[in-house]
Structure formats: C-alpha cells, structure tokens
Amino acid sequence: MPTPESAFLVGIAYGVLAVLGVLLGVIGSFEFSWQAGSVPVAAIALSVLNLAVFRAAGWAMESRLGAVVPAAPWMIILVVLSSRRPEGDLVVTGTAPGYVYMFGGAAAALVAIVWTRSSRSWLLNGAPQPPGIR
C-alpha cells in the first residue's frame, strides 16, 4: 500500500510532467517554422524531441499514463494555437512545417504511449501479487 508521502510525490511528478507538456506545446508552436532550404528542420527536431520526452516520461513513471500526461497538454495547446481566432490570427499555420509539427508530434505521442510498458496496472495497485509460474 502506498504511503501518503509517496502518493504526494507521484502527484507532484505528474504535475511537473503536465507543465512540461504545456511548455513543449507553447515553445514548439512558436518555433516550428525554421527551415533549411525547403526542409522543415525545426518541425522534425521538435517531433523527435516530443517522442523522446513522452517516452522518457512513460519510462520514468513506469506506466503509459506517464507518457499520456505530457502528451495531452501538448495536444491541447497545439489545437488552441492552430485554431483561427476571430481576428484571423493563428500561431501554427497550415504550411509544410506546420503539418510536419502537428502530425509528427501527434505520431510521436502515439508511438511513445504504445511503446511504454506499464510495470503493473494502476487498478491492481493494492491487490496482492499473483504467485509466480513454476
């Protein structure tokens, strides 16, 4: 059974991961458009960074929820900043770098979530361990 202190620390860790997802979304949405010629270098690099961060979060928390927690705020920020405002402004544009950033980041989130293996189901956290196979 987890202690109140360990439950508090896990909650803080998930909170930090959510803030990290927000930061990735905001910074990436404003910096995705750098190109080298016609290659969207920044969008590709940010997609790879998203994959690394989401996967590392899942690995560190030993659950798929660890990968979902930073990916969900990233996606929410992306949707908000790629939506047209009444004034006609938007941050993430419908250009090649914009599409690479949007779809590359979403694919990175999906891959990281599927790639992460949970050490144990959160539903069974308090249940006794099953006997080993002999």
Side-chain angles (χ1 to χ4, degrees), residues 21-22 24-26 28-30 32 50 70-85 89-94 98 101-103 105-106:
V22 169
L24 282 172
V26 170
S29 293
F30 284 100
F32 73 91
N50 284 347
W74 176 85
M75 186 66 74
I76 291 168
I77 295 294
L78 179 67
V79 167
V80 168
L81 293 179
S82 64
S83 300
R84 191 169 301 277
R85 306 235 337 129
D89 300 334
L90 66 143
V91 176
V92 180
T93 57
Y101 176 65
M102 285 187 275
F103 293 121

Side-chain angles (χ1 to χ4, degrees), residues 11-50:
I12 293 293
Y14 280 121
V16 168
L17 290 176
V19 170
L20 180 61
V22 169
L23 289 174
L24 282 172
V26 170
I27 293 170
S29 293
F30 284 100
E31 300 298 328
F32 73 91
S33 61
W34 295 3
Q35 296 184 20
S38 63
V39 178
V41 176
I44 294 168
L46 288 167
S47 296
V48 171
L49 177 67
N50 284 347

Side-chain angles (χ1 to χ4, degrees), residues 1-12 125-126:
M1 194 71 148
T3 64
E5 294 83 17
S6 66
F8 178 74
L9 290 176
V10 169
I12 293 293
N125 199 17

Side-chain angles (χ1 to χ4, degrees), residues 41-131:
V41 176
I44 294 168
L46 288 167
S47 296
V48 171
L49 177 67
N50 284 347
L51 175 63
V53 169
F54 300 156
R55 175 64 179 109
W59 173 80
M61 299 305 289
E62 296 181 346
S63 72
R64 287 186 173 153
L65 182 62
V68 170
V69 167
W74 176 85
M75 186 66 74
I76 291 168
I77 295 294
L78 179 67
V79 167
V80 168
L81 293 179
S82 64
S83 300
R84 191 169 301 277
R85 306 235 337 129
E87 302 85 22
D89 300 334
L90 66 143
V91 176
V92 180
T93 57
T95 59
Y99 287 127
V100 169
Y101 176 65
M102 285 187 275
F103 293 121
L110 183 63
V111 167
I113 292 166
V114 170
W115 190 5
T116 301
R117 296 280 179 225
S118 294
S119 62
R120 193 157 185 238
S121 172
W122 62 273
L123 292 173
L124 302 175
N125 199 17
Q129 294 283 350

